[in-house]
Amino acid sequence: MRSNSAPQSVNFADTKPHYELLDGLRGVAALLVLVYHIFEGFAFAESVNGEGGGLITTLNHGHIAVDFFFILSGFVISYAYDERWGRMTIGGFFKRRLIRLQPMIVLGAAIGAAAFFAGGFERWDGSVAPVQWVMVAMLLSMFMIPALPGCQYEVRGNGEMFPLNGPAWSLFFEYIGNILYALFIRRLSTRALAWLTAALGVLHAWFFVGNLSGYDSVGVGWTIDAVNFWGGVVRMLFPFTMGMLVARTFSPRKIKGAFWICSAILMAVFAVPYIASSGKPSLNSLYEVVCIAIVFPAVVWIGASGRGEGVSGRINSLLGELSYPLYIVHYPIMYLFYAWLIENRYYTLGQTLGVSALVVGSSILLAYACLKLYDEPVRRWLAARFVGNQKRN
């Protein structure tokens, strides 16, 4: 089972206008990820029970939502921070990023431990993980220290970097991207950034179309072996720098219905069936690379050109606020859902419609509760204590 999706963070800015539609699109992608993981569960349960090959048949490309989030991250970070370095230190930048990301990472690890407890600390192979190693895994996850495959605190037994909350892997690479931005990338001219992005694009295509991982997709990064670590770095850096390049070269155009156009594009991209091929190149990976290199930057460009007003604006705001909490807390619920699917040998939506709807609804409600009761109050307190007054971008 690979957790290949992840949402992006919202940044703080002092005075710049806010791109509401990009918030809304982040939320749309997060909801599509949630649905994608339902179908991932069916494929995973079939594979574990030896009754299928593990192919996800609906929203097959949903895992590249994480690459869309990386592009959004690069766009928003460049837009929010490129012009502020004369009055902001590297330490100040990292404080802002930690305040935005870390509270929900901590809570996600705790919710993951609680879900593992609810499942009897049972690994995927049916054995029971020692409680002390579950506690170690939770503590390390809170500090974003990944588990090596097969080590004692890789408690679920599937090789995940963060076994209590698998999708946290993308935040690990998000932090790497933030560090590289603060130390190096922000100093590049737009021309130099364009050359860097082009070079990373070539490396990205070579790695994934050449199928170096053997996954036949761009879905690397969820574990910490050599292929996944370096593949995860490449997977993050190309869309991350692409987003920055779009932010630096962007000039808005008036586009009516931008939110609905972009949402439809995302749904269509994720819904394309798996593209089979034998050997190399990987046609499935080629499709995903094209989406990341061409389609997603275009979606960000269109989304940044649109406007959300009235009801549409409120929807965009709500979707944006929910996107990160939904991403970081939904997967512990999925672990319980997957275990239920395996035990009962259910592999289709028709067999599980009621429970699947409950999983989706409870994930959204949990994310909203975490946002309002924990994330927003904690971030406000931390911002006032360590940064001072700041507005969100």
Side-chain angles (χ1 to χ4, degrees):
M1 173 188 56
R2 288 180 230 141
S3 173
N4 287 325
S5 47
Q8 191 3 274
S9 50
V10 179
N11 296 282
F12 293 117
D14 293 326
T15 58
K16 286 189 172 184
H18 187 57
Y19 289 115
E20 294 90 353
L21 258 69
L22 296 185
D23 277 350
L25 293 176
R26 184 184 296 115
V28 169
L31 289 171
L32 290 172
V33 162
L34 177 61
V35 176
Y36 162 77
H37 279 149
I38 294 289
F39 291 96
E40 179 192 55
F42 302 145
F44 179 62
E46 275 190 310
S47 178
V48 169
N49 286 331
E51 298 180 24
L55 181 65
I56 301 170
T57 56
T58 303
L59 293 179
N60 176 73
H61 301 282
H63 61 272
I64 61 173
V66 72
D67 306 272
F68 180 65
F69 293 136
F70 284 145
I71 290 180
L72 283 175
S73 175
F75 182 96
V76 176
I77 285 177
S78 182
Y79 174 76
Y81 292 108
D82 274 359
E83 298 175 2
R84 299 172 62 187
W85 285 98
R87 61 186 188 276
M88 180 183 67
T89 65
I90 289 178
F93 171 77
F94 287 137
K95 283 181 183 179
R96 285 170 167 81
R97 302 308 297 147
L98 285 167
I99 288 170
R100 182 61 190 99
L101 298 175
Q102 201 62 30
M104 284 305 302
I105 288 172
V106 170
L107 184 61
I111 292 174
F116 200 34
F117 170 78
F121 298 129
E122 186 174 336
R123 299 185 177 102
W124 294 121
D125 64 3
S127 63
V128 176
V131 174
Q132 65 270 25
W133 286 113
V134 176
M135 296 299 101
V136 169
M138 180 180 72
L139 181 63
L140 294 177
S141 295
M142 288 178 174
F143 287 94
M144 293 301 288
I145 300 173
L148 297 173
C151 71
Q152 301 233 41
Y153 54 89
E154 196 271 288
V155 291
R156 201 172 290 275
N158 197 51
E160 289 173 289
M161 188 184 292
F162 299 101
L164 297 177
N165 193 14
W169 71 265
S170 66
L171 276 299
F172 175 82
F173 289 106
E174 171 92 359
Y175 275 135
I176 292 175
N178 279 244
I179 291 168
L180 293 175
Y181 166 76
L183 297 180
F184 166 64
I185 299 174
R186 67 178 174 89
R187 304 176 189 274
L188 298 177
S189 67
T190 300
R191 182 186 294 272
L193 177 62
W195 280 108
L196 174 63
T197 303
L200 288 169
V202 171
L203 182 61
H204 186 271
W206 170 75
F207 186 93
F208 292 112
V209 178
N211 202 22
L212 270 65
S213 68
Y215 290 174
D216 202 23
S217 78
V218 302
V220 303
W222 58 281
T223 187
I224 200 67
D225 63 21
V227 166
N228 274 270
F229 175 77
W230 294 111
V233 171
V234 172
R235 182 182 183 186
M236 175 274 299
L237 272 179
F238 172 56
F240 190 68
T241 56
M242 174 67 80
M244 291 179 182
L245 186 61
V246 172
R248 289 194 186 183
T249 58
F250 171 72
S251 57
R253 301 285 188 271
K254 291 184 179 180
I255 299 178
K256 292 184 178 180
F259 173 76
W260 303 110
I261 293 170
C262 293
S263 297
I265 291 172
L266 290 176
M267 292 180 67
V269 163
F270 294 168
V272 168
Y274 171 77
I275 304 170
S277 59
S278 57
K280 300 177 181 180
S282 166
L283 297 183
N284 195 65
S285 297
L286 176 61
Y287 168 76
E288 294 177 349
V289 167
V290 169
C291 290
I292 295 164
I294 299 175
V295 179
F296 288 168
V299 168
V300 172
W301 193 289
I302 295 169
S305 295
R307 297 182 63 186
E309 297 177 331
V311 174
S312 175
R314 290 193 292 273
I315 291 173
N316 286 323
S317 178
L318 178 60
L319 287 172
E321 290 174 346
L322 272 178
S323 61
Y324 181 48
L326 180 60
Y327 161 71
I328 205 67
V329 303
H330 82 280
Y331 216 70
I333 296 175
M334 289 292 172
Y335 286 129
L336 296 175
F337 177 60
Y338 291 4
W340 179 77
L341 293 175
I342 292 168
E343 180 180 357
N344 291 279
R345 297 182 177 272
Y346 293 147
Y347 311 130
T348 67
L349 184 62
Q351 294 173 303
T352 63
L353 187 58
V355 175
S356 296
L358 179 63
V359 168
V360 171
S362 61
S363 296
I364 294 171
L365 289 175
L366 177 61
Y368 187 78
C370 291
L371 172 71
K372 295 301 180 182
L373 301 178
Y374 169 80
D375 188 41
E376 290 182 343
V378 169
R379 285 192 289 120
R380 280 196 297 266
W381 182 85
L382 290 172
R385 175 69 176 81
F386 295 105
V387 177
N389 225 4
Q390 55 185 344
K391 295 180 182 179
R392 193 191 67 181
N393 181 39

